[in-house]
Structure formats: structure tokens, C-alpha cells
Amino acid sequence: MSLEAPEPSTHTDVGVTETGLDYDVLESLLGELVIDRETHHNAEAFVVRPDRVADALSVLREEAGFDHCSCVTAQQYEDRYESIYHLKKYDDPTQEVGVVVPTSIHEPKSQSGSGVYRTADWHEREAYDLVGIEYDDHPDLRRILLPETWQGHPLSQNYDQERQQVVPLTEHANPLEEDHRGGTDTMFINIGPHHPATHGVLHLKTTLNGEQVADVESDIGYLHRCEEQICQQGTYRHQIMPYPDRWDYISAGLLNEWAYARAAEDLADIDVPEYAQIIRTMSAELCRIASHLLALGTFAIDVYGDFSAIFMYAFRDREVVQNILEDLTGQRMMFNYFRLGGVAWDLPEPREKFFEKTRDFLDELPTRLEEYHNLVSGNEVLQLRCVDTGILEPEVAKQYGCTGPVARGSGVDYDLRRDDPYGYYDRLDWDVVTEDGCDNYSRVLVRLREVEESAKIIDQCVNLLEEWPEDDRTIQSNVPRTLKPDPDTEIYRAVEGAKGELGIYIRSDGTDTPARFKIRSPCFSNLQALPEMAEGEYVPDLVAALGSLDIVLGEVDR
Amino acid sequence: MSSHNQDTTGAQTTQEARMGEGVDNRFNSKLREAFGSSPFILTKFDSFMNWVRGSSMFMLQFGIACCSIEMMHTYAVKHDLDRFGSGVPRASPRQADVIIVPGTIVSKFAPRMKRVYDQMPEPKFVVSMGSCTCSGGPFQEGYNVIKGAEEVIPCDIHVPGCPPRPEALIYGIVKLQERIANGETAPVTVKPYELEQFGDLEEDELVQHLADQIDEEDLVMRYNWAESP
């Protein structure tokens, strides 16, 4: 798979005004492609005929500079199917626009957007798999999460969950068979779904040409836990919040909870007290440290070999973070600590002890990080394995919708904490870390340096919390007991999770449960870029590239 | 230790005599003390093997979901499962005795997990970790989720929790070791798709009925929401 070099767009400021985007200018740019307009909570959306999708998307991409297709949401209404393309700009993610594509209920066929945005490929496959919309001109429209033999589309409206399903075991090709794909003598090899280097249950169908990777295809869905269906069954106020913890389960729970909290709070117009925002910011950054440390430890296992020293070092520090978080939230991993409108409870008493514990950790961290740099980033063996392997060019990363440390390791300066501020981030002093190497080494280095930045944020939050006046410690605003957002309101909101942009789309139908709950997972998009990084490289570099992507299958499959 | 055994007359025990002068007692152990002077133990071979099995278990390095993170913590520094003689994670199922099933099993993964289990040599033991492997846990209502590991492979120990703390997992593993040392194992559960293995058994109506449902070309796992517990 090669990617034609996209020409840098020169008209990135169409419709940009002082106060935000002027959607009328964009509408006139699209001209007769627009048949209607909708207002979503986060942005305006243009309704487009199902056979003009690619045209509309390429106009917005080439002429208006929307180079980030963040998410594709599919859903079924009583009378129609609908796909929504959520577009953003990497330079300024607050500039958003939606492209809504309604299709008929009887023949849900719509043009594919994967020619314009590579990332739409997987998103559309998922939409086909779960909702049942078919995309014309899609290069490879197959099921992506469910087994090939699955009957029905589980998120469509008259899906029968009682129906018996049959799952075969013959899907894996025989690796011993002769394989002459591409004219040469290649070998097919399955990596996973149970394999120590896949970080969970990922299946890589790899074709090798000698020692080199000729083709790699990720087969996901081995941990598809129906998160979206379960969130659609839960009530806004309390029943959804436990599940975000389990999307990205590498102790990044609070970052995920924040994604749901942010979307639902904006949808239902709930304020969060400043004091609660500081607690949220502090605890979320603790989660980020824990998550990055695990990424480092497991990456070291992949690249160095066995259960080794670095893994133990990283887990030793994770234990400290988890202890702090347990003091705060009562759980080691599945925190369930955020509430709509605030957090569940205040800092643990005695507060001094909690601050002391957190400060001890922060004081110790620079020495620990130095040790990591000596062990990992300064190590010649690791540098040999990681420098200049798994190259991901910035333009390619943008095509695939990569975010988080993966994009920042390719020099894409994109961090929602700064670019689309929420919480208390915009009032604190910290920097976005980027590296220009585009290789495995840069991605590891970005994570290590982000730990430092997170520590800076936590330190400032602890200072603020310590001096916060005692009579102003409101942890939750008033939220109605039964939350029913206005009918037919839609919102797409994202936060910077541990792995990148974690977005939530919610459509309310006026009841106390969401009518559609869609999760935009950063790992899903990041993983899609794996072939770009691994093809043509050696097998061990494939493993290193996968490790440096830092995927977590709970979030890829949801 | 040896000083307790020494009587006032100054006579040496056989053990002390064998150790000789000038050797400290660092080689002595509780075991040695228990055995006394005799270096022999009389036991049944079965009991001995059970004791050996329980005391040195090779775990399969097997991660599925959230619980595998807590499982990694159990292996790592603070909790250090190796203290209990069961901390050697093996990457290959062919070298493992125990499989910890740490996480939600979904329809696509269940046949794979069954295959991994089949590849382990006998005798093998299963610790199912977390609520998902007991019943489907918080994801029980999902259209794609298997309602517990017991649907696929026989489990010896269930450790509930979401996820269980490392201490809980250690407790579960120590309980498994106790069971193994006592010679108890889980009953073998034969699933319909395994019946082909018993092809040399006498014709039986039920077996035939179930075997007819199996496409021989295509080893199939049925997943039925309606009949699940």
C-alpha cells in the first residue's frame, strides 16, 4: 500500500473568522452538494446526497483544510440510515464540521469516503459491521469486529439478539501451505490472537518475504465487548460511567471517564465547579503517567526480550501511582470516580497526607526518569532496534487520523488538552511534547517526556488544591436526578486520552438513555496505520512498531 | 533447629555428625528438621507427584482484557507471584500447566481460547479471573459476549472481582495449589464439538445426534444467547 503524496492545501482558512467558523461560507463553497443543514452541539453539519460523499469530503479536505477525519458515526433511525463524518483540522481542532449522509431504509447504500480519508476505511467497515450501511467503492467492505459468519447487524433496529450464531474455527490459513503471492515465494504467518507481543488479543495476518514483511493485515474484534450497545442501554447519570474505565483499561480510566463526562455535560448543559475540575485534571494526569509507564514496560519486553528489569521498574512506579489513585477513588484500576457535574467525593482525609504522598512520588520521579533514560532511551541496543524503524510520516499519520503520542512522535503538534481546552489545562503551565523522528524511538521518547509534563501539571494542581479555601470546595454541581437531554440533540466531543483523541458521539432522543452512543477510539485509528510502518521492514521491527503504537485492544475493539 | 535436639550429655545427632565441625546451620531447613536424621521419606508416588505439581506451576502468559493488567501486577515486583512457586509465565501453551483466563471472552475469541487450552499438556488447570469469566460480568448483556469461561473450558478456581486485586488472584492460585496437592482436579467437561475425538466409541443415539450437527470440514462452536445461563 503506497500513499500518493497529498498536496499541501493552501486554502486552510475558508470561513475562518474571529469568532469561529462561518458555516455559510463553507456552505457556498460546497455549493449544490449541500441539500440541507443540521445543527449539532459541537458544530454545524451539512447534509449530502449518498452518491456525492466523496466530492463533498474532498472539497472540505482540499479547499477548506479539514485534514482530520476524526470519526464516522453510523446509526439507524425509524425511516433512514445515516452516516456522519466528523471532520476537524489538525491545526485547530475547535474548527469542526459534520457531513451527514442519509440513506434509504430499504437499501442503505452510500458512497465511501475512504478515497479521501484513509481512516474512513476502517470506520466504514465498522459501520457496515454493526449498523449495516453498505459503502460503494469501498476497497474492502468486510466485517471488522464480529466474526465473518455473524448474522445480522447488532446495532440496527430490528436485530434479534436471541438468534443463534455460529462461529467457525477455520479462519486461520495454514501457514505451511505454499504461498506465492506477488510472484515471489512468500510465507504466510499468523501472529496472535494469543501472542505475547500483541498486547492482548490482536491477530496479525503477516506475509513474509524472507525476513521482511511483505504485507500485514490486522484482524481485530477478539475483544469486542459491545461497549456501545451497553452504553445505549444505560442511563446518563450513573449507569454509563463505569464502562469508560474498561475501554482503555491500562489504568487510564479517568481519562476515558472524562471523555464521557465532557460529552454528556456539554449535551445537557451541566457546569462543573472549578475545584472539581482541578481534582479531575490532577487525577487524569496520574492516570496518564500510569498508562505511559505500562507502555514503556511492555515495549521493553517486546524489544529486549523476557520479563526484564525495565518491566519491573515500570511496574514498581505504577504501583505507587495506583496507590495514590486508590486513596483518591477507592479502586486500583476501575475508578468510577467522575460524575456528571463533578467528581464522586473530595480528596481523602487527612488531606495533608494525600498531598505528601503525591509530592513524594513527584519528587522521586525525576530520578526515576533519569534511570529510565539510562536504561531505555540511552541504551545502544534499543536505539539500534528503534531509531529509523517503523517510520510514520506526518502526512500519512494525518491521513490515518493518528493522534496522541503516535502523531506527536511524527512531529504533528496536536494535543486536545491545549488545542481544545477543557478542565483546568489552559490555566496551568505545561508544554506539548513533539519529536520529529517519526520512528519507534520518537514515540517512546514522547511518552517518557510526557510523563515529565504530566508531573508538572500534577504538581501545580496539588499546590492549587492545598491552598483552596475550605468553604469553596464544591465537588459536584446540581444535576437532575434523572437526566433527559432535549430530544434530537447530537454532540461529538473529544478529550486527550492516554493514547490520543478519545471522542464520544451522543444522540439524545429525549429519554434517559442515549439513542446512539459512539466511541471514537484513538487506538483504532492508530492501529490502522501499522501496515504503513511495518511493510518492507524486518519482522522484529514489526513487533517494535506494534509496541510503540501502544494499542490496547479493549479500546480498539470496544 | 539442631541446638534444640542436642541433649545434655553432649552426644551428637546423626545429622550433626554428618555435617561435621565448623559448618554453620545455614543448610538446615524446616524440612530437614521434620525429617530428623533420616534422609528418606516414605510416601505414595501419587501424593508426591501432586505435591510437586502444586509446588511448581508454570503459568501460561495469556492476556485478554482488563484483568491481565492486574495479572501482570501480580507477577511483578510488589506482589511477586513467584514467591508461591508459580511465577514462571510461559509464552507457549505447550509448556504451561496453568492457564489464568483474565478477561471477557467474546464469540470470536472463544474458539481460539479453546484451542490454546487444548494445546496445553495434561494435567492442566484453569483459574478463571474476574467477573467476566464467571458470568460475563458487566458485559453480560452484550450480544457478542460469552457468559463465562465455563462455557468453553472447565475451570478449577473462579476469582471474582472487576478486576480482582492481585491479593485475590494470589489467594485463588494458592487455593488451586492446595487442591492440586490434595489430588483434586476439576471434572473434565466434554463439549459437543469434541465428540469427534470419541469416534471409536459405540454408536449412541445422542452422540450421533450431536455429531451430525458438526460439519467435519469446519470445526464449529455454537454460541447461543437464549440458552445461556
Side-chain angles (χ1 to χ4, degrees), chain A residues 161-162 165-167 169-170 193-194 219-220 222 224-225 229 233 243 246 318-319 326 332-333, chain B residues 61-62 66 70 73 104 106 108-109 112 138 141-144 162 165 218-221 223-225:
Chain A
Q161 199 171 305
E162 310 275 296
Q165 303 280 356
V166 173
V167 182
L169 188 52
T170 50
H194 159 240
D219 176 21
I220 60 173
Y222 291 98
H224 175 53
R225 301 193 277 197
Q229 175 214 18
Q233 290 172 355
Y243 286 95
R246 291 162 178 81
R318 267 177 61 90
E319 285 284 353
E326 190 182 353
R332 279 167 60 88
M333 277 178 66
Chain B
Q61 189 181 338
F62 184 67
C66 333
E70 282 298 56
H73 274 275
T104 319
V106 303
K108 200 171 173 182
F109 190 63
R112 267 52 173 195
E141 287 166 22
Y143 47 85
N144 192 24
C162 190
R165 299 176 64 89
D218 190 28
L219 186 58
V220 156
M221 186 163 266
Y223 165 54
N224 191 340
W225 159 268

Side-chain angles (χ1 to χ4, degrees), chain A residues 21-81:
Chain A
L21 273 178
D22 185 354
Y23 289 96
D24 295 334
V25 180
L26 283 175
E27 188 174 348
S28 58
L29 181 73
L30 286 166
E32 41 96 35
L33 290 170
V34 179
I35 52 175
D36 198 3
R37 222 163 109 169
E38 283 180 15
T39 305
H40 296 176
H41 246 273
N42 56 317
E44 299 272 310
F46 301 119
V47 182
V48 169
R49 279 165 53 94
D51 54 350
R52 303 299 300 274
V53 180
D55 290 339
L57 290 179
S58 63
V59 167
L60 285 171
R61 179 183 152 77
E62 302 302 333
E63 292 175 35
F66 287 96
D67 53 355
H68 181 27
C69 177
S70 179
C71 181
V72 180
T73 306
Q75 54 187 329
Q76 188 184 4
Y77 287 87
E78 289 297 326
D79 58 339
R80 65 180 192 281
Y81 284 91

